[in-house]
Amino acid sequence: MKVGVLTGGGDCPGLNAVIRGVVRKGVQEYGFEFAGLRDGWLGALRDDVRPLGVPEVRGILPLGGTILGSSRTNPFKHEDGVRRVKDTLAAHGIDALVVIGGEDTLGAAAELSRQGIPLVGVPKTIDNDVPGTDYTFGFDTAVGIATEAIDRLHTTAESHMRTLVVEVMGRHSGWIALHAGVAGGANVILVPERPFDIDQVCAWVKSRFEFHYAPIVVTAEGAVPKEGQMVLKDRSVDEYGHVRLSGIGEWLAREISRRTGTDARTTVLGHVQRGGTPSAFDRWLATRFGLHAVDAVREGAFGTMVALRGTGIVRVPIPGADSRTKVVDPSLYDEFEVFFG
Ligand code: F6P
């Protein structure tokens, strides 16, 4: 059997660990052959396919990014997309695909699976917002990076007695903001799931100063003021219709300064959260996903996605493009309110 592997969407630490797990088990235990499709669905559209064997995956376990490249290509936005994907697979004798992606890449995979392409999904993203799995790999690394940044910002904030706003990624979900904010001892945590009141944020900031501490405000890039709109980087959208975010951190620092008469600055962590070597947990989870994905291929469990439930790996239907993003439960957010202000 020949299996194609692709990585789509925003990259995240652990992608290479999945590829390694898939290839090592597939070759060593099942005698499969593998091919790598370059840059997600783009490689399938452009017939950009490379050999992928044990030599290609040697040494990649701790490596960030993806050796296969990635893109936000949506095959359904390209003329004859489905036929071109099928032609590429046929031209290379590829019998099945392992698709490693987030909501968008997997949404396209779910539809392609319905249209007859045998494939298995693997959930990735630093945002941790893919439904059906308790965690995605990449998230733990991103939270670690954001937490370390917050730890460092505490000391410089204290030296200057100013507010430091930290903007982390998370378009529609506040998982990174909540986990890193709690781990880093933030005084305010803002998530997209809970529109915030700027007067309340300023009240928390002021009360922090009253105790002679410098406030740390952690905000997800997708957080929105109650009376306002999401702050966008620009108006461009990708092939899945997503806008580019970033700017809420700057807006918050400006408003906090203006309303409280105190100094406030912003640090935007951006792609630092996605780069570099995966944490041990992400290597562990990504490796297990890879091993279970190749088992699913072997057993013909097409249209399924490997997922973490508790400590076990299960198979669930690949979430379609119409599935709901996995967001932060309001009651979980409320647990930490005692630390605000
Ligand atoms: O989907 C993961 C993610 O990192 C989001 O948190 C963020 O909004 C987006 O990707 C950024 O995408 P890009 O790297 O394409 O600008």
Side-chain angles (χ1 to χ4, degrees):
M1 182 171 206
K2 190 166 179 184
V3 182
V5 183
L6 68 85
T7 52
D11 72 338
C12 77
L15 289 166
N16 287 324
V18 180
I19 299 168
R20 170 179 173 268
V22 166
V23 171
R24 286 282 298 273
K25 186 161 190 187
V27 170
Q28 290 171 217
E29 294 214 356
Y30 303 140
F32 287 172
E33 264 185 85
F34 288 90
L37 285 80
R38 291 287 312 174
D39 302 334
W41 292 119
L42 192 62
L45 293 174
R46 284 191 179 159
D47 191 5
D48 191 352
V49 180
R50 318 271 169 93
L52 183 64
V54 172
E56 280 78 21
V57 301
R58 198 161 285 144
I60 67 171
L61 173 63
L63 208 64
T66 161
I67 60 164
L68 297 175
S70 193
S71 72
R72 296 193 184 274
T73 306
N74 181 349
F76 294 96
K77 293 283 176 194
H78 292 254
E79 206 179 324
D80 271 345
V82 179
R83 185 191 52 76
R84 285 160 66 191
V85 171
K86 286 184 175 173
D87 285 353
T88 299
L89 301 185
H92 296 271
I94 294 172
D95 305 296
L97 283 177
V98 172
V99 178
I100 311 165
E103 277 190 298
D104 296 331
T105 303
L106 292 172
E111 186 50 37
L112 289 169
S113 163
R114 270 192 289 276
Q115 298 201 24
I117 298 182
L119 56 84
V120 166
V122 177
K124 67 91 218 173
T125 169
I126 62 165
D127 290 357
N128 194 40
D129 59 358
V130 177
T133 184
D134 288 352
Y135 286 100
T136 52
F137 63 88
F139 173 64
D140 182 67
T141 308
V143 168
I145 292 166
T147 303
E148 194 199 326
I150 297 167
D151 286 347
R152 289 175 185 279
L153 290 169
H154 270 294
T155 62
T156 170
E158 294 295 335
S159 305
H160 295 269
M161 266 303 147
R162 59 162 63 126
T163 302
L164 283 179
V165 177
V166 190
E167 183 184 299
V168 300
M169 280 187 167
R171 217 174 349 217
H172 306 295
S173 65
W175 292 107
I176 299 176
L178 186 64
H179 280 236
V182 169
N187 314 112
V188 180
I189 301 173
L190 304 176
V191 297
E193 292 85 346
R194 175 75 64 91
F196 64 86
D197 177 354
I198 186 67
D199 291 328
Q200 173 68 80
V201 171
C202 290
W204 280 329
V205 162
K206 279 198 209 144
S207 93
R208 196 69 186 158
F209 277 127
E210 276 158 25
F211 291 106
H212 306 289
Y213 287 114
I216 299 285
V217 176
V218 174
T219 179
E221 60 183 350
V224 271
K226 265 186 185 153
E227 282 147 25
Q229 284 179 349
M230 220 174 227
V231 181
L232 309 181
K233 185 115 188 141
D234 56 47
R235 303 235 149 246
S236 59
V237 287
D238 66 20
E239 290 187 7
Y240 292 92
H242 296 302
V243 287
R244 285 178 71 198
L245 298 180
S246 183
I248 188 66
E250 281 298 337
W251 184 87
L252 277 162
R254 252 194 335 269
E255 287 302 309
I256 290 168
S257 276
R258 192 173 69 78
R259 291 165 186 251
T260 64
T262 60
D263 192 15
R265 307 291 174 92
T266 300
T267 299
V268 179
L269 294 184
H271 292 86
V272 167
Q273 295 158 98
R274 280 200 346 219
T277 189
S279 67
F281 177 80
D282 280 338
R283 296 182 204 188
W284 156 263
L285 180 59
T287 298
R288 290 189 77 200
F289 276 170
L291 298 174
H292 283 260
V294 82
D295 287 348
V297 170
R298 158 104 171 161
E299 290 164 31
F302 299 122
T304 65
M305 174 183 90
V306 292
L308 181 72
R309 287 282 166 82
T311 56
I313 307 291
V314 298
R315 291 175 195 162
V316 299
I318 300 177
D322 54 352
S323 300
R324 294 180 67 184
T325 303
K326 189 185 72 179
V327 293
V328 172
D329 191 314
S331 65
L332 179 64
Y333 180 84
D334 290 343
E335 275 182 31
F336 305 104
E337 234 164 32
V338 66
F339 296 115
F340 295 174

